[in-house]
Amino acid sequence: MANFGGHAIPGTFFLLYGLWLAVKYTLRHHWRKGQTAKRAAAPAFLKKMEYVEGGVEMFAAFVGMMVEQFVVDGPHAHLYDHSTESWVKLMNWQHSTMYLFFGIAGLANVVANVTRTTHHGVDRLTLSVALFVEGFLFYYHLHSRPPLDAHVHTLLLVPVFAGSANAMLQVFVNDHLLLELFLAGLFFLQGSWFYQIGCVLYPLSGPVWDLQLHDNVMFTTMCFCWHLAIAMLVICVTMLLVSWIVKRASGGSVDVEIGMRSTANSSKKALLDDTDEE
Amino acid sequence: MANFGGHAIPGTFFLLYGLWLAVKYTLRHHWRKGQTAKRAAAPAFLKKMEYVEGGVEMFAAFVGMMVEQFVVDGPHAHLYDHSTESWVKLMNWQHSTMYLFFGIAGLANVVANVTRTTHHGVDRLTLSVALFVEGFLFYYHLHSRPPLDAHVHTLLLVPVFAGSANAMLQVFVNDHLLLELFLAGLFFLQGSWFYQIGCVLYPLSGPVWDLQLHDNVMFTTMCFCWHLAIAMLVICVTMLLVSWIVKRASGGSVDVEIGMRSTANSSKKALLDDTDEE
Amino acid sequence: MANFGGHAIPGTFFLLYGLWLAVKYTLRHHWRKGQTAKRAAAPAFLKKMEYVEGGVEMFAAFVGMMVEQFVVDGPHAHLYDHSTESWVKLMNWQHSTMYLFFGIAGLANVVANVTRTTHHGVDRLTLSVALFVEGFLFYYHLHSRPPLDAHVHTLLLVPVFAGSANAMLQVFVNDHLLLELFLAGLFFLQGSWFYQIGCVLYPLSGPVWDLQLHDNVMFTTMCFCWHLAIAMLVICVTMLLVSWIVKRASGGSVDVEIGMRSTANSSKKALLDDTDEE
Amino acid sequence: MANFGGHAIPGTFFLLYGLWLAVKYTLRHHWRKGQTAKRAAAPAFLKKMEYVEGGVEMFAAFVGMMVEQFVVDGPHAHLYDHSTESWVKLMNWQHSTMYLFFGIAGLANVVANVTRTTHHGVDRLTLSVALFVEGFLFYYHLHSRPPLDAHVHTLLLVPVFAGSANAMLQVFVNDHLLLELFLAGLFFLQGSWFYQIGCVLYPLSGPVWDLQLHDNVMFTTMCFCWHLAIAMLVICVTMLLVSWIVKRASGGSVDVEIGMRSTANSSKKALLDDTDEE
C-alpha cells in the first residue's frame, strides 16, 4: 500500500509489539528471579499473556492479509490474469505472504502453550523465520527504485535481519534478559523506522524529498541511528518502569496484580543479586 | 541434465530425505526421552536405520554419478578432449562431483555406526561439507544465464547453505530436536524447490516462462516463501504423526513395532515433561 | 574535521582506551584468580576505575559533540537550512552521532556500577552498539571518494566491526581474558590507524600521496597488517608489565597499590595454574 | 615469486603442516582419553612436539621472509625508491608480511609452552590472525588479474578464511578432535591447492592454460572440490594410522615410543567409549 497509512499501520503494530515484548520479558525475568525451587510452572498470568499475544498476532496477520487482498486496488485473491498474461498486484501478494508468516509465528506461540508436547523454542524459531521472510522479500523488493527509496528500505533490513538472528539465537540461549530486551528494541526500531519511511516517501506536510539527492541518503543513515538511540531509551525506560511496578506490587501485597506469588523478600533479593550472578 | 526429469529426480530424493530425517529425529527424540539411566546404547532398530540411510545415500550417489557420466549425451568418463582441446561436458562432471560428496556423507554415516572408534559428529560434518560443495558448485554455475534462470538457482542456495550451516552447528549442539527438524525442513524445501525449478525452466504444459521478465523474478521469490511454509507444515505434521504412533505403540505393548523398550509410563512422562526441561 | 588534527584526536583517544582496557582486564583477571570463595564483590579500586572510565567516556563524547557542532565551520546545532533548502554540515552531524553512542556506552558503564539492578553485560552491549554505529556511518561515508581515501577508511572498518562483534560476544562469554585483550588490541589498532589515515590524507611533511595510484592502495593494505602486529605487541607487553607489577605488589605487601588483598601465595599460584585450567 | 617454485614451496609447507597437525591432534586425543585423574600435565613428548612445531614455524617464517627480501629480483629491504618515487617490489613485501604473522604464531606457540603464565588459546588466536592476514592480503592481491588467475586465488581464500574461523573457534571450544582434524584438513587443502595454482599459472609441461576461458574457471572450481575430497581422505587415513600405532604401542608395552603411560586397558576402553561420550 504505497501511501503514508500503508507504512503507519505496520509501524504502529511493530512499535506496540516491541513495547509489549519489553513488558513481557521483564515480567518473566522477575518471575524467574522470585521463583522458588518447588514451583516450576509459569504463573497463570504469564501463560494467559502468551495466548493473548499469539491470538493478537494471528488476528493482525489475518486482517493484514485480507486488507492487502481486498482493498479497492488489491488483487482480490487473483494471482494470474490470463487475459493480459501477467501477474496481478504482486506487491500486495508479497505483503500478504509476510503477514502469513507472522500468523504462523502467532499460531506456534499459542500451540506451544496449549499443548505441552511441542518443543522448546518453536515460538522463537517461527518468529525468526517470519522476520527472515520479511527481510528476504524486502531485499528483492528494491529493484530499480530511486536511490533514497531503496536506501530507506535497505536500512529497514538492519532491524529485520538482526531481529531474525536474535530470535534464532534465543532458540539456543534461553532466559537471557538482555538478549530478549534487545529483540524488543529491534521491533521498536523497525516500527519507528516504518513511520520514518512513510514520512520520507509520502510526506503529510512540507516539501517533497528529492529521491536522487545524496545528502538525503546521508541524512537518513544518521537519522536511523537516532531512531536506534530512541528505541534503546524507550525499551530501557519500559524495563525500569515494569521493574519498579513489580517491586512495589510484590512488596506491598503478595499475589496481587501480576500473580507472582513470590514473597517480597525473595523478589528484592533477586533484584539485588542480579549483577552478581553469572 | 537440462530437462524436467533432471530436476525431478534430485527433487524427489531430497523430498524423501527430508521426510525420512523428520521421522528418524522424532523417533530418536522419543527414544532419548524414554531412556533410563542404565541403557546407554541406542536400540537395534535405530542403528539399523542408520545403516539403511547410509547405504541408500551411497547407492543413490553412485547411481547419480553413473547416470551423469553414461547418459547418451554424457561425458562417458572423459574429462578432456585433446582433439578439440576443450573440457568434455563440465556440467555433468560437476553434478557427479556433488553426488560424490553425498556418497562420502553416506559412507561416514555407515562407518560411524559399524566401528565405534570413529568420532562423534563425523556424519553431520560430512553432510555439512556435502551441502557446502553443492552450494559452492551451484554458485559458480550461474554465470551468464538469463535473469530468471539465475534467480531460481540462487534461491536454491538458501536451503543448501542454511542446511550446511545447520549440519555444522549439529556437530557442536547435539540432540536438539528443533534444530534437527529444521534441517529436515530445509531438505524438504530443497526438494520441492527443485520441482519448482523444473516447472519454471522446462514446463510440462502451459506457456513458456519469460526468463527476462522482472515480474517473474518477483513471483518466484514469493513462491519460494510459500514452499518454505509448506515444508514447515509437512515436517510438523510428520513429527506429530510419528509422535502419535510412538505414543500408541509404547502405550499398548512394550517392545513392539519400533523396539523402544521404554515402558509406557516413562514415555508418556517424557512427552509431558518436554516443554519444562531446559 | 578534514585535517590531520581531526584524525589525531580520535586516534589518541582510541590508543589510550585500548591501553586502558588492557590494564583493566589484566587487573581484573588477576583479582579473579586471587579471589577466595568468601569475597564475591570486586574490590573498591576496580569499581572506582569503572566509574572513572564511564565518566571519561561521557565527558570525551560530550566534548567531541560540542567541538563538532561549534567549531568555526561547524553547523552550530542547525540541521536544515531553509534558505538554501539543504542539510547543514552533515559530516559534523554524523561525527556527533558517533560520539553520542560512545557517551551512551559510558553512561551504561556508570549506571551498571552505581545501581546493582541493571543487568550483566549491558556495558558491553552498548559498547558493541556504539562500534556498530561508528562502522555503519563510516560505511555510508565513503561514497564517491578517491580510491585511496575510500580504501584507508574501509580498512578502518575492520577493527571497528571486529570490535563490535567481540564486545557482543563478551555479552555471552564472560571473563575470557584473551577475548578481552583482543578487544583492547582492536581499539589500539583503530587508534593507530586513525593516525595513519591522517598521515596519508593530510601529510604534515613530505610529498602528497597520489589518491588514485593502485600501488598506494597495496601499500596501505600491508601497512594495516603492520599496525595489527604492533597493536598485538603493545597489548602483550602491557599485559606482561601489569602482571609483573601485580605479582611484585602482592608479593611484597598485601593490600597496597591496587588493593587486591590476595596473599602472595594465592596470586603466584594463580599465575602458575593459569594454563592448566579450562 | 611468480613461478612454479614460488607456489610449490609454501604448498609443501602447508601440506606437511596439515599432516603434522593431524598426527599431533590424534596423539593428544588418545593421551587425553587414556589420562587418569591424577596426572593433569601433558606428557613430555607432547610438550617437546609443541616446541619443535613452534621452532620450525619461526624458522620457516624467517627463511621465507629472507628469501622474499633477498632473492635476485627482490626488494633487498628497500621499501620506497625516492629516485623513481615508487614502492619497491610490493608483492615481495606482502609475502614477507604473511610470513611474519606465521612467525608470530610460532613464537606464541613456544612461549605458551615455555612459560606457564601465558593464557590458554593464545597459540590458536595467533594462528587465526596469521590466516586472516594471509587471506586479507591475498584478497586485495587480485586486482586487475585475468579471470582464471583471480579465480584460482579466490578459491585459495576458502581454506584460508575457513581455517582462520576454525582456529578462532578453537579458542573457545577446546579439545574437540573433529574440529582440530578439520583444521588439519584445511591446511592440507591449502597446500595442495597451492600446487594446483602453480600448475595452472606456470605449467611445467603441456599447453599453457587460457586465462580468459570460462570453461577453465568451471573446471578449477570442480577441481577444488576434488582437492577437498582428497584432503579429507588423507587426514582420515593419517588419523586412523596414528590411532592404530598408538593402540599397538600402548597394548604391547607401556610407556614406550610415545610416552603415554596409559595402561593398555584404559587406552582400549577410551577407543571403545569414544562415540558414546558427549
Side-chain angles (χ1 to χ4, degrees), chain A residues 79 87 90 93-94 97 101 116-122 125-126 129 133 136-137 140 143 171-172 174, chain B residues 29 151 155 169 176-179 214-216 218-219 221-222 224-226 228-229 239 271 274-276 278:
Chain A
L79 180 58
W87 303 101
L90 273 179
W93 276 99
Q94 291 205 348
T97 304
F101 277 85
R116 305 192 61 184
T117 50
T118 47
H119 298 280
H120 203 78
V122 74
L125 185 66
T126 47
V129 170
V133 166
F136 179 77
L137 286 174
Y140 287 108
H143 187 83
V171 175
F172 303 101
N174 297 108
Chain B
H29 176 73
H151 186 67
L155 293 177
L169 194 57
H176 193 293
L177 180 60
L178 206 59
L179 191 65
H214 182 62
D215 258 21
N216 282 338
M218 273 183 81
F219 170 74
T221 310
M222 181 172 61
F224 180 79
C225 296
W226 299 351
L228 174 59
M239 187 268 273
L271 284 163
D274 215 30
T275 49
D276 295 339
E278 175 46 48

Side-chain angles (χ1 to χ4, degrees), chain B residues 13-51:
Chain B
F13 174 78
F14 284 120
L15 279 175
L16 293 177
Y17 192 58
L19 285 174
W20 159 243
L21 284 183
V23 171
K24 182 178 85 169
Y25 288 138
T26 310
L27 284 178
R28 267 233 308 253
H29 176 73
H30 285 293
W31 168 75
R32 282 199 302 263
K33 286 285 154 191
Q35 188 184 6
T36 53
K38 61 190 169 188
R39 294 182 304 101
F45 178 74
L46 281 165
K47 278 195 170 295
K48 245 180 258 169
M49 292 196 308
E50 297 283 352
Y51 290 138

Side-chain angles (χ1 to χ4, degrees), chain C residues 15-256:
Chain C
L15 280 175
L16 292 177
Y17 192 58
L19 286 174
W20 159 244
L21 284 183
V23 172
K24 181 177 88 168
Y25 288 139
T26 309
L27 284 177
R28 268 233 309 253
H29 176 73
H30 285 292
W31 167 73
R32 282 199 302 264
K33 284 287 154 190
Q35 188 185 7
T36 52
K38 60 190 167 186
R39 294 183 303 100
F45 178 74
L46 282 165
K47 279 197 170 292
K48 245 180 259 169
M49 293 197 307
E50 297 283 351
Y51 289 139
V52 174
E53 179 187 325
V56 170
E57 267 187 285
M58 281 191 285
F59 179 74
F62 180 75
V63 170
M65 285 163 71
M66 287 302 107
V67 168
E68 288 287 345
Q69 289 293 328
F70 298 107
V71 284
V72 177
D73 60 345
H76 296 271
H78 291 95
L79 181 57
Y80 193 76
D81 185 344
H82 287 281
S83 63
T84 63
E85 294 204 326
S86 62
W87 302 102
V88 182
K89 302 273 173 195
L90 274 179
M91 204 161 283
N92 292 51
W93 276 100
Q94 291 206 347
H95 293 159
S96 295
T97 304
M98 291 180 197
Y99 288 125
L100 172 68
F101 277 84
F102 281 101
I104 291 172
L107 181 67
N109 208 353
V110 168
V111 170
N113 276 281
V114 174
T115 75
R116 306 191 61 183
T117 50
T118 47
H119 298 281
H120 202 79
V122 75
D123 50 342
R124 286 121 192 224
L125 184 66
T126 48
L127 188 62
S128 176
V129 169
L131 285 164
F132 173 77
V133 165
E134 186 195 346
F136 179 76
L137 286 174
F138 264 119
Y139 178 78
Y140 286 108
H141 227 197
L142 305 176
H143 186 84
S144 73
R145 298 201 183 183
L148 185 61
D149 190 341
H151 186 66
V152 291
H153 280 96
T154 304
L155 292 177
L156 190 66
L157 297 181
V158 174
V160 171
F161 282 126
S164 179
N166 183 313
M168 187 57 88
L169 194 58
Q170 286 191 34
V171 174
F172 303 100
V173 180
N174 297 109
D175 300 341
H176 193 294
L177 181 59
L178 207 59
L179 191 65
E180 293 171 336
L181 291 178
F182 199 55
L183 181 61
L186 289 168
F187 271 111
F188 192 90
L189 172 60
Q190 194 189 154
S192 71
W193 193 248
F194 258 113
Y195 268 94
Q196 185 71 45
I197 294 177
C199 291
V200 168
L201 299 185
Y202 314 100
L204 293 178
S205 66
V208 172
W209 292 56
D210 182 345
L211 298 182
Q212 305 292 338
L213 196 68
H214 183 61
D215 259 19
N216 282 339
V217 171
M218 272 183 81
F219 170 73
T220 48
T221 309
M222 181 172 61
C223 185
F224 180 79
C225 296
W226 299 351
H227 279 258
L228 173 58
I230 289 164
M232 286 165 68
L233 182 71
V234 168
I235 295 301
C236 190
V237 166
T238 307
M239 187 268 274
L240 292 174
L241 210 70
V242 172
S243 293
W244 180 76
I245 291 169
V246 166
K247 219 164 133 185
R248 266 185 63 108
S250 61
S253 61
V254 182
D255 266 317
V256 288

Side-chain angles (χ1 to χ4, degrees), chain A residues 71-117:
Chain A
V71 284
V72 177
D73 60 344
H76 296 273
H78 290 95
L79 180 58
Y80 193 77
D81 185 344
H82 288 281
S83 61
T84 63
E85 293 203 327
S86 62
W87 303 101
V88 182
K89 303 272 174 195
L90 273 179
M91 202 161 284
N92 293 50
W93 276 99
Q94 291 205 348
H95 293 158
S96 295
T97 304
M98 292 179 196
Y99 288 125
L100 172 68
F101 277 85
F102 281 100
I104 291 173
L107 181 66
N109 208 353
V110 168
V111 170
N113 276 281
V114 172
T115 75
R116 305 192 61 184
T117 50

Side-chain angles (χ1 to χ4, degrees), chain A residues 41-88:
Chain A
F45 178 74
L46 281 164
K47 279 196 170 294
K48 245 181 259 169
M49 292 196 309
E50 297 284 350
Y51 289 139
V52 173
E53 179 187 326
V56 169
E57 266 187 287
M58 281 192 285
F59 179 74
F62 180 75
V63 169
M65 285 163 72
M66 287 302 107
V67 168
E68 288 287 345
Q69 289 294 326
F70 299 107
V71 284
V72 177
D73 60 344
H76 296 273
H78 290 95
L79 180 58
Y80 193 77
D81 185 344
H82 288 281
S83 61
T84 63
E85 293 203 327
S86 62
W87 303 101
V88 182

